[in-house]
Amino acid sequence: MSAGERFRQALVERAPLQIVGTINAYQALQASKIGHRALYLSGAGVANASYGLPDLGITGLEEVCIDVRRICAVCDTPLIVDADTGFGHALNIARTITQLIKSGAAGAHLEDQVSAKRCGHRPNKACVPTQEMCDRLQAAHQARKLDPHFYLIARTDARAQEGLESAIARAQAYVQAGADAIFAEALQSLEEYRAFVEAVSVPILANITEFGRTPLFTLEELKSVGVSMALYPLSAFRAMNKAALEVYLDIKERGTQRDQIARMQTREELYEVLDYYSYEAQIDALMRKN
């Protein structure tokens, strides 16, 4: 079963399907071991965590694929990838989809912002014309030959500048262009999600990101209006960052990390996620043979 097929199966079996952000391979293992069925690699996560850059379209395809390959090498849980605007024109977009499939991804979302994109919850976003986004999606749709089940999500950022009706009209055109689902960015109420669900014939994804324009709706609230996927792109990353900063401050100001120990993962807990002892046993067996 391909990665795309595994994602589609999870989507059928879990409604709504929670998709949790994992910025590296270890986080992917953590999320998978406690039972999450779908993972996500955020473009902001790649830019922020791997390169120390803001999420402004600065990183490229290969930099994203490096993190995709690292995650998919150790984890079979299907991974959805943020492909920004596709990293170029139609030929670049086709290559983006091919390389993501080769790297192990189960699916990706493309957005309708201009190439000089911004975070979806920041002001002054600008979208390309609807037909240009449809051209992006058609290029992506035609490129998924290596995994015909690769899940293609169209993200629209039009709600902020053009209003709800225009965003829905765009989404309907994107479905006709080959999108398997719609990522309606920065919606502000359950009623807006319900409007998308009723107007569009494919699953709707809700981006439940912290400190943005969308309220932190519960899974049950999203289910009540027919949303099929709930995305939590950087929740764990934000928690990790705050915890790390507090540790750094304690070490600097108090000269010890003692007060932070209770908040730390133990060595045994780390080893359990990594299956450390099975690796060690293999080394011991090899040494006995020699």
Side-chain angles (χ1 to χ4, degrees), residues 194-210:
R194 188 193 303 275
F196 264 89
V197 169
E198 292 177 351
V200 180
S201 60
V202 298
I204 300 298
L205 179 148
N207 183 20
I208 309 302
T209 187
E210 304 81 18

Side-chain angles (χ1 to χ4, degrees), residues 127-180:
C127 294
V128 299
T130 299
Q131 186 56 53
E132 184 173 339
M133 178 60 175
C134 288
D135 292 343
R136 290 176 181 177
L137 291 166
Q138 287 168 355
H141 176 69
Q142 293 167 7
R144 49 182 173 181
K145 299 179 181 67
L146 293 175
D147 181 3
H149 300 282
F150 185 82
Y151 203 74
L152 181 59
I153 303 170
R155 169 176 147 177
T156 180
D157 284 75
R159 161 68 179 84
Q161 298 295 335
E162 301 176 12
L164 183 66
E165 288 186 11
S166 177
I168 289 174
R170 280 176 173 267
Q172 291 169 331
Y174 299 165
V175 172
Q176 292 299 312
D180 294 311

Side-chain angles (χ1 to χ4, degrees), residues 17-34:
L17 177 64
Q18 292 180 303
I19 308 172
V20 291
T22 55
I23 60 160
N24 56 38
Y26 184 74
Q27 275 203 313
L29 288 172
Q30 281 186 303
S32 297
K33 283 182 179 286
I34 66 167

Side-chain angles (χ1 to χ4, degrees), residues 44-54 59:
V46 173
N48 302 165
S50 295
Y51 295 94
L53 293 170
T59 48

Side-chain angles (χ1 to χ4, degrees), residues 247-266:
V247 171
Y248 294 146
L249 285 170
D250 256 17
I251 290 172
K252 180 177 181 291
E253 295 174 359
R254 302 185 184 186
T256 178
Q257 73 275 49
R258 289 176 190 163
D259 292 342
Q260 297 291 334
I261 291 295
R263 303 177 59 198
M264 291 185 186
Q265 181 188 52
T266 67

